[in-house]
Amino acid sequence: MYAKFRELQSALALFDVMPLKNIMSCNILINGYLQIGDLDGARQVFDEMTERNIATWNAMLAGFIQFEHNEEGLRLFREMREWQFMPDEYALGSVLRGCAGLRVLFAGRQVHGHLIKCGFEVNLVVGSSLAHMYMKCGSLEEGEKVIKSMPIRNVVAWNTLIAGKAQKGCSENILVEYNMMKLSGFWPDKITFVSVISSCSDLATLGQGQLIHAEVIKNGSSSVNGVISSLISMYSKCGCLEGSVKAFSECEEPDTVLWSSMIAAYGFHGQGEEAIKLFEKMEQEELEPNDVTFLSLLYACSHCGLKEKGLKIFDLMQKYGLKPGVQHYTCVVDLLGRSGCLDKAEVTIRSMPVQADAIIWKTLLSACKIHKKADMAKRVAIEVLRLDPQDSASYVLLSHIHASAKMWQDVSAVRKSMRDRRVKKEPGISWLEIKNKIHQFCIADKFHPQSEEINLYLKELTSDMKLRGYIPDTASVLHDMDNEEKEYNLTHHSEKLAIAFALMNTPPDTPIRVMKNLRVCSDCHVAIKFISEIKNREIIVRDASRFHHFKDGKCSCGDYW
């Protein structure tokens, strides 16, 4: 009883005066030590026992795995088998979690073979742990096969399947499995909601996310911090910052993760000053920020041109005993590069105490494009392509930089290098959600059912834009074609097609939310400002880097992106 209520000293005092210490009393003491996190104390009791039963082994094995001493857990499992103890569902569940923690697929398959011999292959607990092990070890197909072979499933099995789909990046399939789970009579729990809400974030399906938010409230999971964090991220990534703010403000006791999520949301939407204010409030609440908090802050500063404040925040990491990683340094390079301090940015990369990756060099390459530094771009591109020779975006960036400097031979050399290495440019794709249905567009798309109407609408809209002063940026089209073809090419960029479709198919007072896999080009950025003013519509565009809120002919980024 004392051990159960975490009064271990009282339990020990009673244990010491017991004339006969049997297996049950020792097992209770082991569990008491594990409840307070004293793994060494539990192990000492275990080692001093002259006789053990299956419950003893299970308790010690579960303890090792719980505290992530997975290798010791696997050794104990082998020792258990040597002592001729037949593992039950609890032991098998623990050892499979240990295999998952170590990502040791071979050992996991050995345990799988053993549990088949023991007749546990249809056991719910073991089956879910087995599927989890396969998925954590990267063998998603084997994990799905295990779950689908189970004669019945519980919530844990469904959650394992959904988490596996999330790990594989199959966001659309997650929603299918979620609906199947409900149709099978299982009510989702907080773990389910985190995975499903995250899939809505990836797909940027605001309508679907709002429906699931309503189910979260009905389920009583709206006060769970993990779920709230997912909601903040979902609303932010779907272009609805006010939804993120509302979800955060309704939380009674936000933790560091929630504060960091909200700071990230402000940064993603270009509201760096708000992100800093929230961080200052977090400090006032005496909550300690972590490395993710600082990464979100630095990202927010880099996308708003807050160079001095960003550098101060970077230095502040030392106060909290945090060591900057390569992602933090990438934000610093972005801050310096965007503000024109390219030499200082390069020195930062070459002198930082962590290994540089392709992304940090590509960040500097982007700054070379902004400031038309062709010579430095050549040097930086060598570093990028050394680390990631198949990154098409770097070739495109370098090609644009050379073209801007009218270095046509260098443009040809870059394109030849792409052909020789069989590197293909990633196609631009834009999509939006209307009435819970996703509509996707690519450049000069002719496959959409309304493509003819969209083209006609765009032609008329472009004429209106030109009357207001819009001049297509044909110089940004690097292909060898005449100006008329270049203008047609610009007019039919995927984001313009998506916006035209939305204007044709949504009420005039609703915001338009468009997502794009690549960075918005300068011509589209100018054009969308004109469209927002002509049509009196708020247009929210998420590109590969950030959100742009267009309204009344202006963009929230202040043309700083």
Side-chain angles (χ1 to χ4, degrees), residues 83-101:
W83 281 87
Q84 302 300 311
F85 279 93
M86 183 64 69
D88 59 11
E89 62 183 286
Y90 302 107
L92 290 168
S94 292
V95 76
L96 285 167
R97 286 194 297 277
C99 292

Side-chain angles (χ1 to χ4, degrees), residues 529-542:
K529 286 196 286 185
F530 276 100
I531 295 169
S532 70
E533 185 175 29
I534 292 167
K535 296 297 181 181
N536 193 27
R537 294 286 288 270
E538 182 182 5
I539 303 171
I540 302 162
V541 179
R542 186 184 92 184

Side-chain angles (χ1 to χ4, degrees), residues 342 346 350 361-362 364-369 371-387 394-403 405-414 417 421:
L342 275 74
E346 185 177 3
R350 296 192 185 278
W361 284 111
K362 193 159 65 173
L364 183 54
L365 187 61
S366 296
C368 291
K369 179 178 181 289
H371 298 286
K372 296 180 170 57
K373 297 284 186 179
D375 291 336
M376 178 183 276
K378 281 185 181 180
R379 186 169 68 247
V380 172
I382 290 170
E383 300 288 352
V384 178
L385 298 176
R386 178 178 60 82
L387 293 165
S394 299
Y395 290 98
V396 174
L397 261 176
L398 188 59
S399 182
H400 274 276
I401 293 165
H402 290 327
K406 303 193 184 314
M407 300 163 67
W408 303 115
Q409 284 187 331
D410 290 321
V411 172
S412 298
V414 171
S417 182
R421 295 180 179 181

Side-chain angles (χ1 to χ4, degrees), residues 326-548:
V326 67
Q327 289 179 304
H328 300 94
Y329 279 103
T330 300
C331 289
V332 171
V333 168
D334 197 31
L335 277 166
L336 295 169
R338 286 172 183 269
S339 62
C341 304
L342 275 74
D343 291 329
K344 192 173 181 181
E346 185 177 3
V347 169
T348 299
I349 298 174
R350 296 192 185 278
S351 63
M352 65 186 188
V354 293
Q355 186 72 36
D357 60 9
I359 295 171
I360 195 167
W361 284 111
K362 193 159 65 173
T363 302
L364 183 54
L365 187 61
S366 296
C368 291
K369 179 178 181 289
I370 293 168
H371 298 286
K372 296 180 170 57
K373 297 284 186 179
D375 291 336
M376 178 183 276
K378 281 185 181 180
R379 186 169 68 247
V380 172
I382 290 170
E383 300 288 352
V384 178
L385 298 176
R386 178 178 60 82
L387 293 165
D388 189 359
Q390 295 298 310
D391 179 43
S392 62
S394 299
Y395 290 98
V396 174
L397 261 176
L398 188 59
S399 182
H400 274 276
I401 293 165
H402 290 327
S404 297
K406 303 193 184 314
M407 300 163 67
W408 303 115
Q409 284 187 331
D410 290 321
V411 172
S412 298
V414 171
R415 288 178 179 170
K416 183 179 182 301
S417 182
M418 288 183 75
R419 287 194 300 272
D420 292 345
R421 295 180 179 181
R422 296 181 180 179
V423 177
K424 291 185 178 180
K425 181 185 175 184
E426 184 181 359
I429 298 169
S430 296
W431 68 97
L432 73 162
E433 179 190 22
I434 296 178
K435 295 179 181 177
N436 291 330
K437 185 179 178 182
I438 299 294
H439 298 267
Q440 184 173 293
F441 299 88
C442 60
I443 189 168
D445 199 324
K446 295 179 181 178
F447 296 103
H448 194 277
Q450 289 183 255
S451 59
E452 288 186 16
E453 296 96 314
I454 292 168
N455 287 338
L456 184 61
Y457 188 94
L458 267 177
K459 188 176 180 180
E460 293 174 357
L461 184 58
T462 304
S463 296
D464 289 345
M465 288 158 56
K466 286 180 177 177
L467 291 173
R468 302 272 188 124
Y470 166 67
I471 300 171
D473 183 16
T474 53
S476 65
V477 181
L478 303 182
H479 299 289
D480 185 17
M481 55 178 68
D482 60 36
N483 277 346
E484 189 175 335
E485 287 178 303
K486 287 183 177 181
E487 191 172 322
Y488 180 87
N489 180 291
L490 288 171
T491 303
H492 292 79
H493 276 190
S494 63
E495 56 266 56
K496 289 195 184 94
L497 295 172
I499 290 166
F501 175 77
L503 289 167
M504 293 163 58
N505 292 278
T506 57
D509 57 343
T510 56
I512 294 170
R513 292 181 171 87
V514 173
M515 313 296 153
K516 187 176 181 182
N517 64 328
L518 303 178
R519 188 174 181 269
V520 173
C521 75
S522 56
D523 179 78
C524 285
H525 194 267
V526 171
I528 299 169
K529 286 196 286 185
F530 276 100
I531 295 169
S532 70
E533 185 175 29
I534 292 167
K535 296 297 181 181
N536 193 27
R537 294 286 288 270
E538 182 182 5
I539 303 171
I540 302 162
V541 179
R542 186 184 92 184
D543 68 7
S545 177
R546 61 175 295 160
F547 269 99
H548 300 264

Side-chain angles (χ1 to χ4, degrees), residues 202-301:
D202 296 335
L203 294 169
T205 50
L206 179 60
Q208 186 70 54
Q210 288 171 325
L211 288 173
I212 292 165
H213 188 179
E215 291 178 7
V216 165
I217 295 168
K218 287 179 187 175
N219 181 271
S221 299
S222 58
S223 60
V224 178
N225 280 7
V227 175
I228 298 169
S229 179
S230 297
L231 286 168
I232 291 169
S233 179
M234 183 274 292
Y235 279 114
S236 169
K237 289 181 179 179
C238 290
C240 184
L241 183 61
E242 58 270 24
S244 297
V245 174
K246 189 171 186 293
F248 178 77
S249 63
E250 289 175 353
C251 181
E252 293 180 4
E253 293 184 16
D255 56 13
T256 299
V257 174
L258 278 179
W259 285 90
S260 301
S261 297
M262 194 62 234
I263 288 168
Y266 277 128
F268 203 29
H269 286 264
Q271 297 195 22
E273 293 288 359
E274 289 298 324
I276 292 170
K277 285 179 188 176
L278 194 63
F279 173 68
E280 289 169 351
K281 190 175 178 183
M282 179 182 177
E283 285 190 307
Q284 289 168 11
E285 296 285 333
E286 297 184 349
L287 277 166
E288 194 154 310
N290 57 25
D291 57 340
V292 177
T293 315
F294 279 101
L295 184 61
S296 300
L297 275 168
L298 290 167
Y299 179 91
C301 292

